[in-house]
Amino acid sequence: MHKLLKDSPGEKIMLLGNEAIARGAVEAGVAFATTYPGTPSSEISLNLFQMSKESDLYFEYSTNEKVALEVAAAAANSGLRTFCMMKHVGLNVAADPLMTLSYVGVTAGMVILTADDPAMFSSQNEQDNRYYAKFGGFPMLEPSSVAEAKEMIKEAFELSESLKQPVILRTTTRINHSNAFVAFGEMKERKTRGRFEKDPMRCVTVPAVSRGLHVKLLERLDSATGLAEKSDFNFVQGDGPLGIIANGVSFHYAEDAVKDLGIEDKTRILRLGFTNPMPAGLIKDFLKDCEKVLVVEEGEPFMEEAVKAFAQEAGITIPIQGKSADLFSRLYEYDPAMVREKIAAFFGFDYTPVNKIDTSDIPEIANRPPNLCSGCSHRATFYAVQKAAEGMDIICPNDIGCYTLGFMPPLSTGDFVICMGSSVSSSCGFGRATDQKVVSFIGDSTFFHSGITGLVNAVFNKHNFTLVILENGITAMTGHQPHPGVDMEQMGMPGYGRVDIEQLVRALGVEHVSVIKPFKVKKSMETIREALAFDGVSVIISKEPCILWAKSMKLKKVRPFEVTDKCTDHKECINGIACPSFYIEAGRVKIDANTCVGCALCAQICPDNAIRPLKQ
Amino acid sequence: MKTTRLIIVAVGGQGNLLASKVLGEAALIEGVEVRMSEIHGMAQRGGVVESAIVFGNATSSIISDGEADILLGFEPAETLRAIGRCSADTKVVTNTATLPPFTVGIGKGAYPEVEEIKRVLKEKTAGLVAIDAMALAKEAGSPMSVNIVLLGALIQTNALGFSKESVIEAIRRRTKPAFLDMNLKAFELGFEAAANSVV
Ligand code: SF4
Ligand code: SF4
């Protein structure tokens, strides 16, 4: 049985934040869950997916976050407890239904989780999604620890049900990817069959209806403010004239700092966990007893601005600060030492930072940049495209996935990446605006996510570019989740359909469609040249499973190659494809047999024919 | 209880996360509070994996620069790269078997001499244990047990104050039964090697 399905209240186990969140949802009786994978949220969905195979929980990987939210909205309006999770930028994709779902509301508890990524460990920006809660009018909860995250999601379901409004649970990477001991709680029974009661005056958002719904939303937010004022998630800790207001992981940094500085008797901390709507009364009360207040929050001055406004309303004129040039930054994440230092500086306490080591004389260490895996088929595709386009002036819009790494030399394939699906739509623009040839790349999962719409646009508006769809049969980047093009039977999971990308692309009306096997380099290059010569939209589908996935599923036999003494040492292989299995020893190119998977890409490009399967 | 902060650095695939989980389990057995945080953005594509483990009664789960009490490095160049997390009071335990980054493999970047790495670490911190964990892992039965060899070395230093028995019990609970004997051997080899290798 899945470890998170165990009905053993009181048992204490070590859980990853994301596992704790999944467990919390299950304890809350969640019956319906949807997502599109994205780090740092991916393990929540992975665990729910696994549990759905062993229970009556419904889980789906949807084609994108917008779809996931729309599917979830229907379930939550049919009376099922519903959970929809995504990474922060995913909420942008879902923003359209999000803003109206707050008007419509729900009939059963619905939690929308946004996993924000301060410092961008695996994201293209560090947007602060607390503004979505304010923007859309959603109550929002923010945990400070792994254990609290599990409890909070349960409360979030209750809160949502009582307000008939979805609740946003906002985490950050340091919650999602932290581990701590968590005690299991009681399991609430799951209600898995619902019923949708027609209610057009609530659910059909024509203008006449929505005008009324906006009024109701504001009323619900008023009730939510009342609940935030009394919520146990908003509490004051300690006593003294120096005030600190903190949320999320920053609360613990502040708590530790106060202890480390030995200023417990002078400091009171207001921890806000229910952060939208902000509890004005509670905050004003807190401010009244303070001489000076510091707001500690990663990201944007979300709380700081509200607190200053409340102070103004209450006629309180004490200094209140948070973000400023000499205090906290709006950039990246915080850490305990930095919070300690700022608290000491703001309140005027002595603080000697630890004696850091002088690193100025440390020998130089080469970087360890991430790289496409040994035998990754994307490498072969990029190589073939670059060779086929030799001498042409090309722009290569790329997309979000492992293949984003293609931007690094020597493949240098990736000139423009802004969000999922952007490669296709930006190609429309580049093709129209320039005289350059445009060759863009997108993965299969990303194509389903939001590449299709760009391609439809391209067909309709008669744009001019070549799109390469990298079909590796899985969502590789986030840890091998399925997508609509995956053969689920092969994974031993019947009960799914399958959408064939080639048929789909043809059906969209793309006139020039070809399929390549990227490890057949010469043949691929010929096909690519034809596609590049086509005037209009051409699509190349490059088909080869993700090697990491194929290896773990035992779909591929691994047979390493070696460099024989026919090699004349021109290093064409290394300079051309940069496979991480290569290394140089005593000036000679070698292949690491432990990591080489025998894709034979290098063997085909070696002009000396010096790379051969290793004799075993 | 006094707070002890441990940083573990490794290259993706070296089993850093399992090692952290074993230590977490050992903390549970010892009745010590523990919080861990991990960063593994693109680790499976050859990047660096770092875990921060905070034992005792602090409430944060990450460790600031200069504030690690112990640095455990699974790869010597990565240990050196993480030296900014140490102070002059930090104890360091490192593997000496190298895994040069690809950039070095193709001659585009320097890999410092292991002796030089050891010298710098020793000079700037409160004590260094350096062992060839790869050789010991192979001796135990598989290169995969490098992580457990290094746990053995860490426990030998007594920097965490955990008993050997607790950690062995944690290994029993946290590793696959098929690998248990190998891991127990790996742990012993690391434990013994560290006793003789304080430089
Ligand atoms: S995980 Fe798969 S798709 Fe991603 S880089 Fe590795 S082989 Fe390529
Ligand atoms: S065959 Fe060549 S390109 Fe393919 S994985 Fe091995 S070394 Fe790398």
Side-chain angles (χ1 to χ4, degrees):
Chain A
M1 186 169 58
H2 194 283
K3 71 175 178 196
L4 300 181
L5 279 176
K6 267 175 65 192
D7 191 6
S8 51
E11 187 185 341
K12 222 179 158 193
I13 69 167
M14 165 85 56
L15 292 182
L16 184 68
N18 280 343
E19 292 173 325
I21 290 166
R23 169 71 190 192
V26 172
E27 285 181 10
V30 71
F32 202 98
T34 64
T35 195
Y36 182 81
T39 312
S41 75
S42 309
E43 298 87 358
I44 309 173
S45 38
L46 173 70
N47 281 285
L48 291 170
F49 181 43
Q50 291 165 342
M51 285 189 265
S52 73
K53 298 289 152 203
E54 295 178 30
S55 67
D56 56 0
L57 164 72
Y58 178 77
F59 173 88
E60 73 167 48
Y61 283 110
S62 309
T63 37
N64 67 28
E65 297 82 358
K66 177 178 185 293
V67 174
L69 187 63
E70 289 158 349
V71 172
N77 272 293
S78 306
L80 303 189
R81 284 206 162 181
T82 303
F83 186 24
C84 182
M85 68 228 84
M86 58 197 71
K87 70 179 297 178
H88 63 338
V89 289
L91 203 51
N92 302 333
V93 179
D96 197 8
L98 184 78
M99 299 304 286
T100 306
L101 182 59
S102 62
Y103 281 35
V104 168
V106 290
T107 58
M110 174 172 183
V111 177
I112 301 166
L113 180 135
T114 165
D116 290 10
D117 190 15
M120 298 167 281
F121 293 105
S122 53
S123 306
Q124 62 268 46
N125 73 22
E126 55 182 347
Q127 69 186 40
D128 186 334
N129 275 5
R130 292 180 293 172
Y131 289 106
Y132 267 117
K134 199 172 157 88
F135 193 20
F138 293 92
M140 172 172 61
L141 302 182
E142 297 184 72
S144 292
S145 71
V146 169
E148 192 185 26
K150 197 201 81 174
E151 296 313 313
M152 225 176 219
I153 186 167
K154 297 200 280 185
E155 275 307 309
F157 276 107
E158 297 295 331
L159 182 62
S160 162
E161 223 153 80
S162 73
L163 290 166
K164 303 211 171 322
Q165 173 78 356
V167 167
I168 290 183
L169 184 72
R170 177 197 182 241
T171 59
T172 56
T173 307
R174 292 294 179 176
I175 298 284
N176 300 95
H177 286 170
S178 284
N179 278 280
F181 283 101
V182 174
F184 281 171
E186 307 276 342
M187 295 266 215
K188 205 174 152 72
E189 211 182 314
R190 235 188 317 279
K191 179 181 167 217
T192 56
R193 288 325 292 163
R195 201 188 131 72
F196 175 66
E197 302 293 347
K198 290 185 190 175
D199 186 359
M201 289 311 283
R202 180 176 70 83
C203 298
V204 184
T205 53
V206 294
V209 172
S210 295
R211 276 184 210 113
L213 292 179
H214 197 180
V215 175
K216 291 208 172 109
L217 169 63
L218 297 185
E219 285 166 9
R220 286 201 297 270
L221 276 173
D222 272 346
S223 326
T225 310
L227 295 173
E229 297 283 5
K230 288 183 300 209
S231 170
D232 289 343
F233 293 135
N234 298 331
F235 56 84
V236 178
Q237 181 174 301
D239 205 0
L242 309 177
I244 294 173
I245 301 180
N247 72 326
V249 291
S250 306
F251 165 63
H252 285 313
Y253 305 159
E255 189 185 32
D256 282 350
V258 165
K259 220 186 300 159
D260 294 345
L261 293 166
I263 54 170
E264 290 106 316
D265 55 339
K266 303 185 184 70
T267 322
R268 45 213 317 264
I269 308 180
L270 170 60
R271 200 297 295 264
L272 292 178
F274 191 149
T275 45
N276 196 63
M278 290 278 270
L282 180 69
I283 292 169
K284 287 175 190 170
D285 269 355
F286 179 80
L287 296 178
K288 263 196 261 148
D289 299 324
C290 296
E291 284 169 6
K292 218 176 162 184
V293 168
L294 182 64
V295 183
V296 190
E297 57 183 326
E298 289 175 337
E300 298 297 311
F302 180 86
M303 300 193 305
E304 182 186 341
E305 283 171 358
V307 169
K308 285 176 174 166
F310 295 143
Q312 200 275 342
E313 277 176 10
I316 297 171
T317 54
I318 55 169
I320 299 170
Q321 274 191 63
K323 314 271 172 190
S324 77
D326 53 351
L327 278 171
F328 289 111
S329 171
R330 288 165 64 177
L331 298 171
Y332 318 134
E333 56 166 16
Y334 294 176
D335 65 72
M338 181 252 244
V339 169
R340 198 188 308 134
E341 183 199 316
K342 303 292 181 197
I343 288 177
F346 183 70
F347 295 121
F349 292 106
D350 277 342
Y351 163 61
T352 356
V354 285
N355 222 338
K356 282 196 206 157
I357 283 179
D358 171 21
T359 52
S360 59
D361 58 343
I362 301 270
E364 203 188 311
I365 317 164
N367 282 334
R368 202 181 282 275
N371 193 340
L372 295 170
C373 301
S374 289
C376 175
S377 57
H378 301 332
R379 179 176 291 107
T381 309
F382 289 141
Y383 178 81
V385 169
Q386 290 295 4
K387 283 288 159 190
E390 225 155 47
M392 293 169 77
D393 180 12
I394 61 169
I395 310 177
C396 297
N398 205 324
D399 222 293
I400 308 268
C402 291
Y403 43 87
T404 315
L405 294 174
F407 84 96
M408 291 194 299
L411 299 164
S412 305
T413 313
D415 301 319
F416 190 78
V417 182
I418 49 172
C419 65
M420 291 196 98
S422 69
S423 67
V424 192
S425 339
S426 63
S427 295
C428 297
F430 286 124
R432 193 58 73 169
T434 72
D435 296 324
Q436 290 154 287
K437 179 70 203 173
V438 182
V439 192
S440 48
F441 296 83
I442 193 165
D444 40 9
S445 186
T446 311
F447 178 67
F448 286 116
H449 177 278
S450 48
I452 296 175
T453 42
L455 192 55
V456 171
N457 180 62
V459 170
F460 177 69
N461 288 307
K462 291 203 170 297
H463 284 298
N464 183 5
F465 61 92
T466 300
L467 172 68
V468 182
I469 302 177
L470 302 158
E471 188 178 354
N472 66 0
I474 204 76
T475 315
M477 180 70 161
T478 43
H480 299 134
Q481 293 85 357
H483 62 64
V486 171
D487 183 350
M488 297 292 278
E489 292 274 348
Q490 190 188 41
M491 286 169 65
M493 274 189 246
Y496 290 89
R498 187 179 183 191
V499 181
D500 183 273
I501 293 185
E502 186 184 346
Q503 278 179 27
L504 173 65
V505 169
R506 287 188 195 278
L508 293 182
V510 177
E511 282 168 39
H512 197 287
V513 182
S514 42
V515 178
I516 59 170
K517 297 290 285 170
F519 287 125
K520 298 196 165 140
V521 180
K522 250 194 158 150
K523 190 134 185 270
S524 297
M525 276 163 53
E526 275 164 36
T527 314
I528 295 165
R529 269 190 213 108
E530 277 169 34
L532 293 181
F534 183 78
D535 193 21
V537 181
S538 56
V539 168
I540 300 166
I541 301 167
S542 178
K543 262 188 154 160
E544 184 67 35
C546 160
I547 185 64
L548 211 63
W549 172 243
K551 269 204 299 194
S552 71
M553 295 291 289
K554 307 225 171 347
L555 299 175
K556 195 119 203 159
K557 261 209 140 146
V558 171
R559 183 160 180 213
F561 277 50
E562 66 175 340
V563 183
T564 64
D565 43 21
K566 275 168 67 186
C567 164
T568 53
D569 219 20
H570 39 61
K571 306 204 168 60
E572 179 122 343
C573 45
I574 285 194
N575 298 331
I577 57 177
C579 169
S581 290
F582 286 122
Y583 63 99
I584 295 177
E585 202 176 76
R588 309 286 295 183
V589 178
K590 299 256 166 136
I591 292 172
D592 176 4
N594 292 319
T595 57
C596 173
V597 298
C599 69
L601 172 63
C602 53
Q604 293 171 69
I605 68 167
C606 173
D608 296 333
N609 236 330
I611 303 178
R612 297 258 146 215
L614 185 70
K615 287 189 201 81
Q616 273 156 339
Chain B
M1 188 220 157
K2 173 182 154 297
T3 307
T4 305
R5 298 181 169 87
L6 165 68
I7 295 267
I8 307 183
V9 288
V11 177
Q14 282 191 305
N16 168 357
L17 300 183
L18 176 66
S20 310
K21 294 214 163 112
V22 169
L23 287 176
E25 196 70 40
L28 180 72
I29 296 167
E30 295 261 341
V32 170
E33 277 293 316
V34 62
R35 266 160 221 87
M36 317 198 291
S37 165
E38 54 197 51
I39 285 304
H40 49 100
M42 290 206 170
Q44 70 175 7
R45 284 146 211 103
V48 182
V49 194
E50 180 187 298
S51 342
I53 314 185
V54 181
F55 300 95
N57 54 13
T59 54
S60 317
S61 69
I62 65 172
I63 301 172
S64 306
D65 282 354
E67 302 202 336
D69 297 298
I70 315 156
L71 168 64
L72 175 61
F74 282 25
E75 203 281 340
E78 294 313 324
T79 315
L80 182 61
R81 203 196 301 277
I83 197 168
R85 319 303 295 275
C86 304
S87 69
D89 300 326
T90 308
K91 290 185 187 167
V92 181
V93 176
T94 189
N95 184 4
T96 56
T98 62
L99 273 176
F102 172 65
T103 38
V104 171
I106 58 169
K108 293 196 177 108
Y111 193 98
E113 289 293 330
V114 174
E115 285 311 314
E116 175 67 3
I117 294 177
K118 280 161 65 176
R119 188 189 63 75
V120 175
L121 289 171
K122 196 184 148 199
E123 202 176 282
K124 293 185 183 272
T125 64
L128 172 71
V129 169
I131 61 169
D132 184 343
M134 185 46 121
L136 297 173
K138 285 183 185 153
E139 196 184 324
S142 161
M144 297 287 289
S145 63
V146 157
N147 54 352
I148 307 293
V149 171
L150 286 160
L151 278 189
L154 174 71
I155 297 309
Q156 173 66 267
T157 67
N158 202 28
L160 293 179
F162 289 179
S163 78
K164 193 177 168 187
E165 290 66 41
S166 305
V167 182
I168 288 176
E169 174 56 23
I171 293 173
R172 280 185 204 284
R173 290 189 198 173
R174 281 288 173 163
T175 65
K176 291 205 181 94
F179 300 131
L180 184 60
D181 287 344
M182 179 181 83
N183 281 333
L184 292 178
K185 183 162 180 210
F187 181 81
E188 278 302 335
L189 289 172
F191 189 81
E192 282 159 29
N196 317 317
S197 72
V198 186
V199 256

